Every structure is written in C-alpha cells, then in structure tokens.
Amino acid sequence: IATVTERQKFRSARKLNYEIKKNLPSPGHYFMRFFLGGINSIVLLGGSSRRLKFKREYEDFKFYYTLFGLLFIAVLIFVNNRGLDMLYQIYMMYYYLTLSMREHILKANGSNIKPWWLYHHYSVLVVTLILLTWQPTAAYLAFRPNFYVYGFYVAIVQILQHTYQKRRLYSQISIGKAHQMDVANEQGGVSSRVLISKELALLLPFILLGQAFQCFLA
C-alpha cells in the first residue's frame, strides 16, 4: 500500500510530466496548419505572461467585435441593402475565422476550450458562407428581417454572457478553483452557488428565449 508521501511524490511527478509535455514542440491543429502551415502553437506564445496577455486580448476581441456587430445589425434591420448584407457576412466570416484560430492557440497553451465550442464556430463559418452567396430571391427577402432581429438579440445575449462568465471566472480564479488560462469555468462549489443563482437566474430566460427564436427560424 502506497504511503501518503509516495502518493504525493507520484502526483508531483505526474504534474511535472504534464508541464514538460505541454511545453514540448508539437504540431498545431489541422485547422491552424491549413491556414498557417506547420506551426507550433506552444512556441508561438512563449512564457506564461504572454499567454495571459493573449487570453485577455482574446476576451477583449470577442467583446468589442460583438458590440460592433450589434451596431452593424441595428443598421441592417432598418436598411435593406444587398451590399451591406454581404459586407456584414464578410465581417462575420473574419470574426469567426479569427476567433477559431485564437481559440486553437489558447487550447494548445492550456485553456479549457472544448471541441464542441470549436465545431460550433466551424458550422457558423459554413452557414455564413451560404448566406454570403445566397441570392436575393423571395425566400431570402422573407428570411432576412427575422434573421437580423435574431442576430441583434443574440449579440445582446452574448454581451450578457460575457459579463457573467468574466465575473464568475474571476471569483473562481481568486479562490483557486480555476486556472488563469481558463476561458470558461466548470467548477462548482459552495462559495460560487450564491453568485451563480443570482446572475444566472437573470441570464437564463434570455438564453431560453434565444433558443426558441432559433427554432422558429429553423
């Protein structure tokens, strides 16, 4: 039977082995290699300070580009112009393409980004390409108003989610239940239940309404 000291040594060795593997050169994800060629995502960021800076820039990128998208959609709701529609779709393709590349870099550098998160962004890129090439037929003109109202609503919900997640993650990092490179917190605990119950209770109805709106569009 292993003693407490032996178990502690085993955990320390396993942690050290993980840190070594995490910093060894490794090929980037196929998505990264498709656009950038052979690339080592770990070396790209270097030390922990650069990784944290990149994570903060990623969060700011999401927030400000979502805010700009909200204003862009507000114009499109009242102005029916095919050129502006195409410009918005190009903007969305740039946003999700850049977002996916940043997330692959963060994931390779220790962030807890799940595969479904990335797959969702891939699907959005495909849908955006379809919208970009969709000719202004009667079906498009019938779909367009509801789509932009939905996009406006989703942008508001994303801003609310960003604010909620940032506050929750900050509290979890401060008590040692989340890593500084995490972009979403999945840990529970007594200390976080009060915060979750207050803020999530306000956010959840907006999310559910957005899901119902999405089903209506489908």
Side-chain angles (χ1 to χ4, degrees):
I1 300 174
T3 64
V4 174
T5 303
E6 289 173 339
R7 288 198 296 268
Q8 288 176 343
K9 288 181 178 179
F10 174 76
R11 284 195 294 266
S12 298
R14 187 171 60 179
K15 183 178 179 181
L16 179 61
N17 184 51
Y18 169 77
E19 291 295 329
I20 292 173
K21 286 184 177 180
K22 190 173 69 174
N23 289 279
L24 286 175
S26 60
H29 190 269
Y30 69 89
F31 184 84
M32 298 289 293
R33 295 198 302 270
F34 179 79
F35 290 99
L36 302 178
I39 182 171
N40 175 9
S41 298
I42 304 295
V43 175
L44 186 62
L45 293 185
S48 59
S49 60
R50 293 188 62 189
R51 295 179 185 182
L52 290 175
K53 181 181 178 182
F54 188 84
K55 180 208 164 188
R56 288 192 294 267
E57 291 175 348
Y58 159 80
E59 292 172 340
D60 290 341
F61 173 81
K62 283 206 306 182
F63 178 77
Y64 290 114
Y65 270 74
T66 301
L67 187 60
F68 178 77
L70 178 68
L71 300 176
F72 202 155
I73 294 175
V75 173
L76 293 173
I77 290 175
F78 297 101
V79 179
N80 187 349
N81 182 276
R82 177 60 179 167
L84 287 178
D85 286 357
M86 295 180 68
L87 184 62
Y88 174 73
Q89 301 305 334
I90 292 172
Y91 162 80
M92 290 300 293
M93 290 195 69
Y94 165 78
Y95 171 72
Y96 278 102
L97 178 60
T98 305
L99 196 66
S100 298
M101 295 181 70
R102 287 173 181 249
E103 286 171 348
H104 276 296
I105 295 173
L106 285 171
K107 182 176 176 63
N109 284 273
S111 293
N112 59 339
I113 296 176
K114 301 298 182 183
W116 68 264
W117 199 334
L118 295 165
Y119 296 150
H120 168 263
H121 292 167
Y122 300 157
S123 64
V124 173
L125 283 169
V126 174
V127 171
T128 304
L129 181 61
I130 293 172
L131 291 172
L132 179 62
T133 57
W134 192 357
Q135 297 301 311
T137 60
Y140 173 84
L141 295 175
F143 177 78
R144 183 188 182 279
N146 289 328
F147 173 74
Y148 283 123
V149 171
Y150 169 75
F152 184 83
Y153 180 82
V154 167
I156 293 176
V157 175
Q158 286 177 338
I159 292 173
L160 293 175
Q161 283 181 310
H162 173 81
T163 304
Y164 162 74
Q165 185 63 60
K166 190 173 182 179
R167 290 177 180 177
R168 182 184 174 191
L169 190 58
Y170 177 81
S171 66
Q172 293 297 291
I173 291 175
S174 64
I175 60 177
K177 290 185 175 292
H179 191 270
Q180 286 184 323
M181 283 298 294
D182 289 350
V183 297
N185 181 255
E186 300 167 354
Q187 299 290 334
V190 176
S191 60
S192 65
R193 285 173 186 165
V194 176
L195 178 64
I196 295 173
S197 63
K198 288 180 179 180
E199 298 193 358
L200 190 57
L202 176 64
L203 181 60
L204 193 57
F206 288 94
I207 297 175
L208 295 176
L209 183 59
Q211 295 292 334
F213 201 163
Q214 189 174 25
C215 290
F216 168 75
L217 286 180

